[in-house]
């Protein structure tokens, strides 16, 4: 007996139920479109559902890493800490799902495996792994920038006899590390956040470091009730500032000057003050940290001196000091006692740059110098960022063109929102938009609002089809690269450029000009009747 696959037919199909997909559902539904969301997990939350490793926490203040679309929501929700933990952010997103009755239009456990544009009827035909078939006029890929995990290409992983985990798919029930010898590979944000907690829980922790990263203290704390009250009172104004800022959050209340325009003493005093306050805004102390090599070196030297002060063993301190990239050109990490953790007796640091990992054995990690027996191996090895989740399904546009093929030499988009040849397909925070260089929630809201305005425009004008014109896309790609080339960003081997994934084309993916400038550009395109889009 054969069963007919389940079919759904909607105006808009949204893929992913994280911050982006949930807001897309809410916004488009409010505007009278029929919407369905397909989510591969069994709960809302996206990145905040999957990344539940010990220490997972946002590096942007909770007050701003949250939706602004509903005044009631932002007034009624209480954040407990300056930087929310993963469980608290997930609780917030579950609350949003319930409060706005989003679950009724979300299908959980549905992983999209293909999407084909049907030229004759200008509709998408989308299939999931379970056999569900969805037809939709429009598809919105709200699949996240950091949602396709990257396991390193180390031989023998399958031979390991102990437990093995990736930070981005940590077991729901947690992992009991008591009395165990734990190895951690990867020292990006995830590894740096996890290290202090793994060290507290395990009998012994060995951190395998290939490349050190710059990290500044988060100085997390419970949210001061008076400060929180003041933020709530000023929310409309603060959100407006965030929307037009460079980073998508409220910037430092100073007008930054070039680093070399003040004396060395003054410069270090300003770094010291930010180090004491904590957080990523360390990079905002001076105006040219990310564009001038000398300015950048002064910030990097300051952090390296701090590492020397904190870490007792000079050889370990030396290994922890980054020297291969400008600070901030790889995402700066924020931590709670990361460097201090290397003073513990039960923690060791192994440099796998000078003696690379050659294989994983049944017993543990084997480098070119030694074998390290382990009970548990944790990979914090990052993601196939920005394009990974967009290229995982087989997406075919007009005339059957494959997105994987089109982006073979790197992603090409217009505004990071859409790509030529793929009509009626939108991306939220796609490559070519500020995305990961911004407060993602601010950027997500702007994208979702822009997309829904565009769909309303099409509906109002009885138009069925939209896609970027090739020249507009070419010009945008060139512009994104030119802006990145004028900064120090493009020089780092970072996941911003795809350098962390062997064989991935090297293209600087996020748009560095800032959230405010980008919003102005998107608004101008909309005001000029969607200039650069071919509508029919
Ligand atoms: P990242 O920042 O991409 O970090 C991955 C880490 O894993 C990084 O230290 C890598 O070293 C290391 N890595 C990857 N493959 C290997 C192998 N084969 N051997 C040794 N070390 C390896 O990912 P995260 O999850 O920490 O953070 C991603 C973003 O999430 C973060 O920026 C925030 O925005 C949130 P490498 O530098 O390649 O030498």
């Amino acid at each position: 007996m054969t069963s007919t696959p389940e079919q759904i037919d909607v105006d808009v199909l949204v893929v992913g139920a994280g911050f982006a997909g949930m807001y897309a559902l809410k916004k488009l539904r409010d505007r009278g479109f029929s919407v369905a969301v397909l989510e591969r997990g069994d709960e809302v939350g996206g990145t905040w559902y999957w990344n539940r490793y010990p220490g997972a926490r946002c590096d942007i203040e909770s007050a701003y890493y949250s939706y602004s679309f509903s005044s009631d929501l932002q007034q009624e929700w209480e954040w407990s800490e300056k930087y929310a933990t993963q469980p608290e952010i997930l609780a917030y997103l579950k609350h949003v799902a319930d409060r706005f009755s989003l679950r009724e239009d979300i299908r959980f456990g549905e992983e999209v495996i293909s999407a084909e544009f049907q030229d004759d009827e200008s509709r998408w035909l989308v299939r999931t792994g379970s056999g569900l078939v969805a037809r939709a006029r429009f598809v919105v890929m709200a699949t996240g920038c950091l949602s396709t995990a990257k396991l390193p290409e180390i031989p023998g992983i399958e031979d390991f006899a102990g437990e093995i985990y990736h930070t981005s798919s940590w077991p729901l029930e947690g992992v009991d590390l008591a009395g165990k010898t734990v190895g951690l590979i990867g020292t990006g944000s995830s590894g740096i956040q996890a290290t202090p907690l793994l060290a507290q829980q395990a009998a012994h922790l060995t951190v395998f470091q290939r490349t050190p990263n710059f990290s500044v203290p988060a100085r997390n704390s419970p949210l001061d009730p008076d400060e929180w009250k003041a933020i709530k009172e000023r929310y409309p104004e603060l959100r407006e500032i965030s929307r037009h800022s460079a980073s998508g959050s409220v910037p430092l209340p100073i007008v930054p000057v070039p680093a070399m325009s003040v004396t060395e003493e003054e410069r270090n005093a300003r770094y010291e003050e930010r180090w004491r306050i904590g957080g990523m805004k360390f990079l905002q102390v001076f105006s040219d940290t990310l564009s001038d090599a000398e300015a950048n070196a002064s910030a990097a030297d300051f952090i390296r001196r701090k590492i020397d002060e904190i870490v007792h063993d000079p050889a370990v301190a030396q290994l922890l000091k980054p020297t291969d990239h400008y600070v901030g050109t790889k995402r700066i990490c924020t931590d709670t006692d990361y460097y201090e953790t290397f003073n513990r007796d039960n923690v060791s640091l192994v440099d796998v740059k000078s003696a690379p990992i050659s294989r994983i054995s049944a017993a543990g990690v084997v480098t070119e110098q030694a074998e390290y027996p382990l009970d548990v191996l944790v990979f914090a090895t990052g993601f196939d960022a920005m394009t990974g989740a967009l290229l995982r399904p087989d997406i075919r546009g007009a005339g059957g063109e494959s997105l994987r093929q089109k982006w073979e030499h790197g992603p090409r988009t217009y505004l990071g929102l859409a790509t030529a040849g793929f009509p009626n397909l939108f991306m939220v925070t796609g490559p070519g938009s500020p995305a990961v260089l911004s407060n993602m929630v601010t950027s997500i809201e702007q994208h979702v609002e822009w997309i829904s305005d565009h769909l309303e425009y099409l509906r109002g004008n009885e138009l069925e089809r939209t896609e970027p014109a090739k020249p507009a896309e070419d010009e945008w790609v060139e512009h994104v690269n030119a802006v990145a080339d004028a900064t120090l960003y493009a020089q780092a081997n970072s996941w911003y450029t795809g350098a962390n994934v062997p064989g991935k084309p090297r293209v600087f993916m996020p748009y560095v000009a800032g959230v405010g400038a980008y919003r102005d550009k998107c608004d101008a395109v909309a005001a000029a009747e969607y200039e650069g889009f071919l509508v029919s």
Side-chain angles (χ1 to χ4, degrees), residues 207-218:
V207 177
F208 297 92
Q209 173 191 271
R210 189 164 64 183
T211 316
N213 272 297
F214 289 98
S215 189
V216 295

Side-chain angles (χ1 to χ4, degrees), residues 51 59 146 150-154 166-167 185-192 208-211 213 330-331 352-353 357 380-383 436 493 495-496 500:
N51 287 271
D59 53 9
L146 297 163
K150 186 190 143 277
L151 269 180
E153 301 71 22
I154 303 174
H166 193 284
T167 44
I185 299 182
T187 49
S189 292
S190 304
I192 282 179
F208 297 92
Q209 173 191 271
R210 189 164 64 183
T211 316
N213 272 297
K330 282 182 170 185
R331 192 176 176 104
V352 295
K353 179 80 102 198
I357 298 174
T381 45
F383 301 88
V436 291
N493 286 326
W495 56 258
Y496 296 148
N500 64 326

